[in-house]
Amino acid sequence: MSFSLKRPTTVAEVTECIDLYLALNDFSFLPASRLKSIRELSTAVRMNKFVLMALLDDKIVGWIYAREANISHIENSVLQQYYYASNLTGVRAVKLLSVLHQAMFDYAEDKGFELVMSSGSHMDSKNVLTRVLAKDGWDTRGYLAVKYTKYFKER
């Protein structure tokens, strides 16, 4: 099983990513606007933010979006995962989660960020995302996973 990773480059790819994400959403708990989501992710792609999708057999099976976060109590530069979605299950889902988060971490180091954060979802009540990331060497507490890059400095 080998995923190919690429940035979305078309509105159709962005739309497919959003549709994948929304298919996983529980609208009775949290509303979401398809059009607003497409606009926001399209803007992130145009602004060259970290947006990466994974393909398996030429089909989008997952994607991740991260951007610089301004967290009021942290002086360090932070790259924070804002969206992660995958329609895979089982071993393939775990592998993809690891692959996309490693790509995000590599991007953070390449860009000089000091800290990378990924939070679970309201749909992930058992914190599976963070438990998988803990096995990949991330520090985790509850729904939050953090990993320090080689640029991290205590402040």
Side-chain angles (χ1 to χ4, degrees), residues 71-101:
I71 300 172
S72 59
H73 61 278
I74 297 176
E75 289 187 16
N76 307 84
S77 58
V78 177
L79 182 69
Q80 183 173 6
Q81 171 259 338
Y82 274 62
Y83 291 96
Y84 173 79
S86 168
N87 60 9
L88 297 177
T89 58
V91 173
R92 293 188 312 172
V94 170
K95 176 70 173 163
L96 181 58
L97 174 65
S98 294
V99 165
L100 284 175
H101 277 78

Side-chain angles (χ1 to χ4, degrees), residues 102 105 114-118 136-139 145-149:
Q102 184 61 50
F105 183 80
E114 296 175 79
L115 177 65
V116 184
M117 295 173 59
S118 186
D136 290 341
W138 292 63
D139 294 322
V146 299
K147 194 168 185 180
Y148 298 92
T149 72

Side-chain angles (χ1 to χ4, degrees), residues 36-154:
K36 180 175 171 105
S37 299
I38 291 168
R39 278 194 312 268
E40 293 290 326
L41 189 60
S42 293
T43 299
V45 167
R46 277 193 313 279
M47 293 179 65
N48 207 28
K49 302 295 182 191
F50 178 80
V51 181
L52 198 60
M53 56 188 193
L55 295 98
L56 186 62
D57 299 327
D58 295 322
K59 292 185 173 102
I60 299 171
V61 294
W63 63 280
I64 192 167
Y65 165 40
R67 65 183 186 203
E68 185 169 6
N70 182 8
I71 300 172
S72 59
H73 61 278
I74 297 176
E75 289 187 16
N76 307 84
S77 58
V78 177
L79 182 69
Q80 183 173 6
Q81 171 259 338
Y82 274 62
Y83 291 96
Y84 173 79
S86 168
N87 60 9
L88 297 177
T89 58
V91 173
R92 293 188 312 172
V94 170
K95 176 70 173 163
L96 181 58
L97 174 65
S98 294
V99 165
L100 284 175
H101 277 78
Q102 184 61 50
M104 178 176 67
F105 183 80
D106 293 345
Y107 172 87
E109 284 215 322
D110 184 55
K111 298 296 183 185
F113 286 96
E114 296 175 79
L115 177 65
V116 184
M117 295 173 59
S118 186
S119 56
S121 163
H122 59 282
M123 303 299 290
D124 182 12
S125 60
K126 296 182 181 175
N127 296 325
V128 173
L129 181 141
T130 53
R131 289 188 297 136
V132 169
L133 293 178
K135 290 180 181 178
D136 290 341
W138 292 63
D139 294 322
T140 63
R141 291 205 185 150
Y143 67 91
L144 187 62
V146 299
K147 194 168 185 180
Y148 298 92
T149 72
K150 62 186 175 187
Y151 300 107
F152 180 77
K153 296 179 196 108
E154 289 284 340

